[in-house]
Amino acid sequence: MLHPHAVCDGGDLDCGSGLLLIINKSMNPLDPGQVLEIRSRERTVADDLPAWCRMVKHEFIGSEPGENTVRYFVRKGQSQSALESDLTAAKGYKWNVRVQGEKDLKAKVFARNHHFYSGQSADFSAHVDAPSAIDYFMASLASCLTVGFKAHASRRNVVVDQIELSLKGSIENILSHMEIEETGSPSIQQISGTCYVSSAADEELLKEIWQITLKKSPIYQTLKKAVEIKLTFSIVY
């Protein structure tokens, strides 16, 4: 459709999960009247991007199919960019949860517009009424890496057919947590696991995306300072 002055790729991000920050950063160096091409695979962008352009006084020119993506074209308007304030707001965002004790040994967790239940940590049954805090702890790392890999891959126009991450964790001495023994620590000692990815993309590119995922993961980067984490990356053909 056009020869843009700059290009940004949002992959599978929607307008509420960081895409607008990426667009703003790419739009900021452009002069009024110049055109930014935005590539996206998220279907909701088709509705949300024109509305955002009207709000911030940019001109939404149109879209066309691209290679495994949709190309959107936006002409920069005369309005001043709110990039710095948007970035400052993003950096200062605080995640909040609220937890209420329930009957028996359960807690109800409220996180934004969702709620879920958490059970006791020292429960060794295969079937429980609610996942424990340790289950959520492990799931937090696994989901951060799984969703993060897909997001970083999508921004490079890489299709991930399937991804699965399996983790195991060990506690130094769970009996310390249960007050059965006084020695040892109730802390998590090690987390190990494997990430399995199926994709037609180049093997070296997939490995590079995995390293980027580890580097940019808030949960992984936090935990590795305190816990030994051993992860293997495996490509499935």
Side-chain angles (χ1 to χ4, degrees):
M1 178 180 286
L2 291 170
H3 296 290
H5 299 87
V7 177
C8 70
D9 196 326
D12 291 328
L13 295 176
D14 60 33
C15 289
S17 62
L19 177 59
L20 295 182
L21 288 176
I22 294 171
I23 294 173
N24 257 333
K25 184 176 180 180
S26 301
M27 185 76 76
N28 202 47
L30 301 184
D31 295 325
Q34 291 187 316
V35 174
L36 174 67
E37 176 186 333
I38 302 149
R39 297 174 183 172
S40 176
R41 288 164 33 185
E42 167 57 41
R43 59 179 182 80
T44 61
V45 173
D47 296 323
D48 295 340
L49 185 59
W52 176 78
C53 288
R54 290 192 296 271
M55 183 175 64
V56 297
K57 309 302 182 185
H58 296 318
E59 179 189 355
F60 179 77
I61 301 173
S63 65
E64 68 177 18
E67 184 181 352
N68 207 26
T69 188
V70 177
R71 304 169 65 202
Y72 300 93
F73 300 92
V74 174
R75 192 185 311 278
K76 184 174 181 178
Q78 296 290 336
S79 61
Q80 294 295 315
S81 170
L83 176 62
E84 289 303 321
S85 60
D86 289 344
L87 293 178
T88 300
K91 289 179 180 178
Y93 184 83
K94 296 185 183 299
W95 281 258
N96 298 285
V97 297
R98 181 169 57 91
V99 181
Q100 289 180 344
E102 294 280 296
K103 65 179 181 179
D104 302 324
L105 295 178
K106 286 200 302 185
K108 188 175 184 180
V109 182
F110 298 87
R112 287 187 263 196
N113 59 315
H114 293 274
H115 72 268
F116 51 88
Y117 292 92
S118 177
Q120 57 178 317
S121 296
D123 192 329
F124 311 110
S125 306
H127 302 280
V128 293
D129 292 334
S132 73
I134 296 175
D135 295 321
Y136 284 117
F137 178 87
M138 303 271 290
S140 177
L141 173 60
S143 58
C144 186
L145 294 176
T146 300
V147 176
F149 185 91
K150 292 184 67 177
H152 293 302
S154 71
R155 292 191 63 190
R156 289 155 179 81
N157 203 19
V158 170
V159 176
V160 177
D161 299 320
Q162 286 184 308
I163 179 170
E164 182 173 318
L165 205 160
S166 176
L167 293 181
K168 292 183 178 180
S170 59
I171 288 179
E172 183 179 327
N173 188 358
I174 190 63
L175 300 182
S176 173
H177 163 70
M178 300 168 66
E179 293 189 298
I180 295 175
E181 292 184 0
E182 293 300 323
T183 59
S185 169
S187 63
I188 293 177
Q189 190 173 24
Q190 184 189 84
I191 297 173
S192 61
T194 303
C195 181
Y196 300 93
V197 170
S198 176
S199 174
D202 178 73
E203 180 177 328
E204 291 305 314
L205 177 57
L206 292 173
K207 290 179 179 179
E208 178 185 336
I209 294 171
W210 174 244
Q211 292 303 317
I212 292 171
T213 301
L214 295 176
K215 183 179 179 181
K216 299 299 182 182
S217 165
I219 306 300
Y220 176 81
Q221 289 298 324
T222 301
L223 293 184
K224 76 170 190 175
K225 299 174 183 177
V227 181
E228 181 184 8
I229 304 177
K230 295 182 177 181
L231 299 177
T232 302
F233 182 70
S234 178
I235 301 172
V236 180
Y237 298 99

